[in-house]
Amino acid sequence: MTVTGEETTRGVTGPWWWARWRSAVLDGSLALVSALECGAEGIPFARDAGIPVSLGVVFGLIAGSVLLVRRKWPIAVVLVAIAITPAEMGFLMGIVGLYTLASCELPRRVIGALAGMSLLGTMIVTFVRVRQSMARGDLTLGDWFVPFAAVTTSLGLTAPPLLLGLYVGARRRLMESLRERADSLERELQLLAERAEERAEWARNEERTRIAREMHDVVAHRVSLMVVHAAALQAVARKDPEKAVRNAALVGDMGRQALTELREMLGVLRAGEDVGGRRGAGVPLAAVREAAAAAAFRVVDESGSGEGPCLSELDELIGQSAAAGMVVDLSVVGEVRSYAAVVEQTAYRVVQEALTNVHKHAAGAKTHVRLAHRVSEIAMQVENEAPPEPGSAGAVGLPSGGNGLVGMRERVVGLGGVFVSGPTDAGGFRVSAVIPAV
């Protein structure tokens, strides 16, 4: 992670106001050089001013050492440099002070005012000194040289450090902004990664639920009928051998169909292990869902061919339940028409699972299946009467996973429909569903 802001503050290891020891050593070296320069320049200043030389040297040393605080008080450094300009000392302090001032986080008007004062002070002092030199005869150039020397000298001592400081300050602020943006982006990416992991975990759980529901719908109905036929086979094996043979044939057919559907479902899931040519590679959840749903909705015959279940196959579904000894009454209201494949498959599965629940919990009870074709929706209802007394010939104990109603509700609600189930006043049970046609 990049280091800015609070982490940078915690990384301060230098003395006093310096962030690093390297900065402290640099400022100390510059202050020492500046003090020596001002001390040396204090000798001619003391002679011109008529004061003791030692006093001029001490004054220069003290004034030059002010450069030590340039990072903490840059304005004070520039003001001191401007103040000692008439004494012709502090050139290094003036240059470094202007650079530090321009690179700091100060208002531009303050920087401009102090830079203008330094420029004007240097220009006036240079103008006076050059004019005095020409009056003494040290310089024999024309009068034009005086303003030229004043302007060029003042600009040469002011403009370069000022422009360099502005550039360095702007670059520093840009880098800090980029670091802050990088930190913010990294935090956002970390948050997105956490959310993506949560969504992936949710999707995996959702896929487990979906696959479990599909496998339940594929196998449960046929296995339930197999158990019912097996019970009937046991009851009539000695009394009616021909009926026992028919029931055995039905059990065998349903068992083969159930195994075929289960094998196809597991084949779809296992095929995902070789996606991209790598054994055990991750399979996209969407692909697993679509493949599992396609396999679950595919009703195949013994040869393994066929299409997904549709409403036209309800007669065959009800015939299978009737062959198992259930009394089923089918009524259809409205004009029969075709719907989207997923709508017909869901309606078929609702009726199939409801009949399976009757076999499990109310064996032998008379069941009414009603199908209504409406303008913009299709409605279905499966209602069974009160089951016969326990111990009757039709009562068969079947295991129940408790997921049938949950799976039907998820299917119907997933298409924007309404699902209602519950016991009736007569002691039976009713399952109702309404699915939008579009």
Side-chain angles (χ1 to χ4, degrees), residues 42-43 45-47 49-57:
I43 297 175
F45 168 70
R47 292 173 180 173
I51 60 176
V53 175
S54 59
L55 184 59
V57 173

Side-chain angles (χ1 to χ4, degrees), residues 359-402:
H359 282 295
K360 291 181 179 180
H361 307 291
K366 185 176 181 180
T367 305
H368 304 275
V369 178
R370 302 179 180 89
L371 189 67
H373 298 274
R374 300 171 184 172
V375 177
S376 59
E377 61 187 15
I378 178 174
M380 65 224 64
Q381 183 182 90
V382 180
E383 179 179 351
N384 63 275
E385 298 178 358
E389 293 295 331
S392 62
V396 179
L398 291 172
S400 175

Side-chain angles (χ1 to χ4, degrees), residues 5-326:
E6 185 177 345
E7 294 187 6
T8 302
T9 303
R10 291 198 299 265
V12 174
T13 58
W16 296 341
W17 57 82
W18 287 283
R20 293 181 295 271
W21 278 98
R22 183 178 59 184
S23 300
V25 172
L26 176 62
D27 289 354
S29 301
L30 290 175
L32 178 61
V33 175
S34 177
L36 294 176
E37 176 205 350
C38 292
E41 293 169 347
I43 297 175
F45 168 70
R47 292 173 180 173
D48 294 341
I51 60 176
V53 175
S54 59
L55 184 59
V57 173
V58 172
F59 173 76
L61 292 174
I62 296 175
S65 62
V66 176
L67 193 58
L68 185 66
V69 297
R70 70 181 185 95
R71 296 179 188 268
K72 190 171 183 61
W73 295 298
I75 296 178
V77 174
V78 175
L79 289 177
V80 171
I82 294 173
I84 62 176
T85 298
E88 296 188 48
M89 63 174 62
F91 295 104
L92 177 62
M93 183 168 59
I95 293 173
V96 177
L98 284 175
Y99 164 79
T100 306
L101 179 71
S103 63
C104 290
E105 297 288 342
L106 291 174
R108 292 298 176 86
R109 61 178 183 273
V110 175
I111 297 175
L114 293 176
M117 293 171 59
S118 177
L119 175 67
L120 183 60
T122 305
M123 184 182 298
I124 293 175
V125 171
T126 304
F127 183 88
V128 172
R129 293 300 183 182
V130 173
R131 191 175 183 84
Q132 291 176 353
S133 298
M134 293 186 67
R136 290 195 302 266
D138 297 337
L139 295 175
T140 58
L141 300 175
D143 294 338
W144 60 271
F145 183 73
V146 178
F148 174 77
V151 172
T152 55
T153 302
S154 59
L155 288 176
L157 295 176
T158 304
L162 182 66
L163 295 177
L164 181 61
L166 291 174
Y167 167 75
V168 172
R171 184 175 180 275
R172 183 187 300 122
R173 288 189 291 271
L174 176 61
M175 295 302 296
E176 291 177 356
S177 176
L178 292 177
R179 290 192 187 97
E180 291 177 358
R181 291 183 181 180
D183 287 345
S184 177
L185 179 60
E186 187 171 356
R187 288 191 295 268
E188 291 178 2
L189 290 177
Q190 185 177 1
L191 181 60
L192 289 176
E194 293 176 356
R195 292 181 177 177
E197 185 177 355
E198 293 176 358
R199 288 194 296 268
E201 182 63 27
W202 175 86
R204 285 192 291 268
N205 294 333
E206 186 69 14
E207 284 309 307
R208 295 189 188 100
T209 303
R210 288 177 181 271
I211 293 173
R213 183 173 64 244
E214 301 297 347
M215 296 183 69
H216 174 273
D217 291 343
V218 166
V219 180
H221 180 72
R222 298 191 185 279
V223 173
S224 299
L225 293 179
M226 289 171 58
V227 175
V228 173
H229 282 292
L233 176 62
Q234 184 180 5
V236 302
R238 296 180 180 179
K239 299 179 181 179
D240 192 349
E242 294 182 359
K243 187 175 182 180
V245 171
R246 291 194 301 271
N247 286 342
L250 288 174
V251 171
D253 292 341
M254 292 180 183
R256 283 189 292 271
Q257 291 177 358
L259 287 175
T260 300
E261 295 174 4
L262 182 59
R263 187 182 299 112
E264 188 164 338
M265 168 74 72
L266 296 178
V268 169
L269 298 178
R270 184 172 297 173
E273 297 178 358
D274 296 325
V275 173
R278 294 179 300 172
R279 188 70 175 176
V283 183
L285 294 177
V288 173
R289 181 180 67 249
E290 294 175 2
F297 285 139
R298 189 178 297 119
V299 178
V300 296
D301 54 18
E302 293 182 6
S303 62
S305 62
E307 298 179 353
C310 57
L311 294 177
S312 62
E313 301 178 13
L314 282 181
D315 292 334
E316 180 182 356
L317 177 66
I318 292 175
Q320 293 175 355
S321 296
M326 179 188 294

Side-chain angles (χ1 to χ4, degrees), residues 308-318 330 332 336-341 343-351 371-373 378-380 435:
C310 57
L311 294 177
S312 62
E313 301 178 13
L314 282 181
D315 292 334
E316 180 182 356
L317 177 66
I318 292 175
L330 173 64
V332 180
V336 179
R337 65 182 189 275
S338 61
Y339 300 91
V343 174
E344 293 205 10
Q345 292 168 0
T346 301
Y348 181 92
R349 291 302 185 192
V350 169
V351 176
L371 189 67
H373 298 274
I378 178 174
M380 65 224 64
I435 304 175

